[in-house]
Amino acid sequence: MDINIDLWVWDLDTRQNIDLSVLSKEEQQRAGRFVQPLHQNRYGVGRATLRHILAQYTGSAAADLTFRYGANGKPALAGDVCFNLSHSEQSAALAVTRGCEIGLDLEHYRPVEPDLAERFFSPCERKELAALGPAGFADGFFRCWTRKEAVLKARGEGLSVELNSFDVTLTPDAPPRLLRYAPDPACVDSLTLHHIDFAPELVGAIAAFSHAQPVKLIRR
């Protein structure tokens, strides 16, 4: 049986008519801690939209959703609804499924210095990235970065694991895969990676603990 993952994407700057009254007191306080009104609004719109979407899966009112947080801050709900939220600049995306831990990351293309790859990518990844040459550097870098972030988010580990302690594919002709995961080698056989082109300058990845079951991504 396929694992269906619903993928929701929205613009934080144009979705201003969303009902912000569903935000919890803690979420309102956190929004207020942003210095710039733009960032306050983006956070509020992102969290409110998250609540309204998840309410469709849980049958609960958006304002009544209660999130619990893992040791490294990954949010979750009671029950079998699994989700992960990511945002980059004005863009936000939410992946939702049932009974399968997932991680999502999206990034806008931006100028990056080569030393970022030297600091955070594994030797194998750096070798593959160098082989792409200057013309393929940006595509390869962000394919690698989003896949690594998605893996860490699926595992709920965040920055507690070094990015260079595991390998993912990054060349355009190689299927997205987790090749090595030093902290937990068994993870390689249970986790699948999926590349997403959101827009010409917006790329992302989803990691799912699918345990070799087929995964179907459904854009909402």
Side-chain angles (χ1 to χ4, degrees):
M1 181 181 295
D2 290 359
I3 295 174
N4 293 332
I5 300 178
D6 291 344
L7 183 61
W8 300 77
V9 185
W10 65 95
D11 188 302
L12 295 169
D13 292 343
T14 61
R15 200 179 172 91
Q16 296 301 317
N17 60 343
I18 193 76
D19 179 12
L20 298 180
S21 67
V22 301
L23 296 178
S24 68
K25 183 178 180 180
E26 180 183 5
E27 288 168 331
Q28 294 173 19
Q29 291 173 342
R30 184 170 179 181
R33 288 197 289 269
F34 287 96
V35 176
Q36 299 294 330
L38 174 65
H39 298 143
Q40 293 178 4
N41 291 334
R42 285 179 175 176
Y43 175 81
V45 169
R47 293 294 294 195
T49 305
L50 167 72
R51 284 179 169 273
H52 284 291
I53 293 174
L54 291 179
Q56 301 176 38
Y57 294 85
T58 64
S60 300
D64 293 338
L65 293 176
T66 300
F67 298 103
R68 51 185 174 83
Y69 295 86
N72 295 294
K74 183 180 180 180
L77 292 168
D80 67 344
V81 175
C82 300
F83 68 94
N84 205 226
L85 175 72
S86 183
H87 55 83
S88 177
E89 298 179 13
Q90 80 279 11
S91 300
L94 174 68
V96 187
T97 190
R98 293 185 183 275
C100 174
E101 286 296 332
I102 53 178
L104 166 68
D105 189 58
L106 77 161
E107 298 286 344
H108 275 93
Y109 279 27
R110 60 187 182 279
V112 292
E113 296 296 330
D115 66 349
L116 280 178
E118 293 294 322
R119 289 174 57 195
F120 296 115
F121 291 178
S122 70
C124 177
E125 292 165 341
R126 295 199 300 269
K127 182 178 180 180
E128 288 195 5
L129 186 60
L132 296 177
F137 177 83
D139 283 343
F141 179 91
F142 284 106
R143 274 194 298 269
C144 188
W145 186 271
T146 54
R147 292 171 189 180
K148 293 172 87 70
E149 288 287 333
V151 168
L152 294 182
K153 293 179 74 176
R155 288 182 57 91
E157 292 175 322
L159 298 177
S160 66
V161 171
E162 296 289 340
L163 284 171
N164 59 11
S165 68
F166 61 100
D167 305 327
V168 298
T169 56
L170 59 86
T171 56
D173 56 345
R177 285 184 57 204
L178 175 63
L179 301 173
R180 177 183 69 97
Y181 197 81
D184 180 9
C187 177
V188 173
D189 294 327
S190 58
L191 187 145
T192 55
L193 277 171
H194 309 272
H195 177 80
I196 306 167
D197 286 313
F198 289 97
E201 298 298 318
L202 186 64
V203 66
I206 290 178
F209 276 96
S210 59
H211 299 280
Q213 291 181 266
V215 173
K216 183 178 181 181
L217 299 181
I218 304 169
R219 298 210 183 196
R220 298 298 187 182

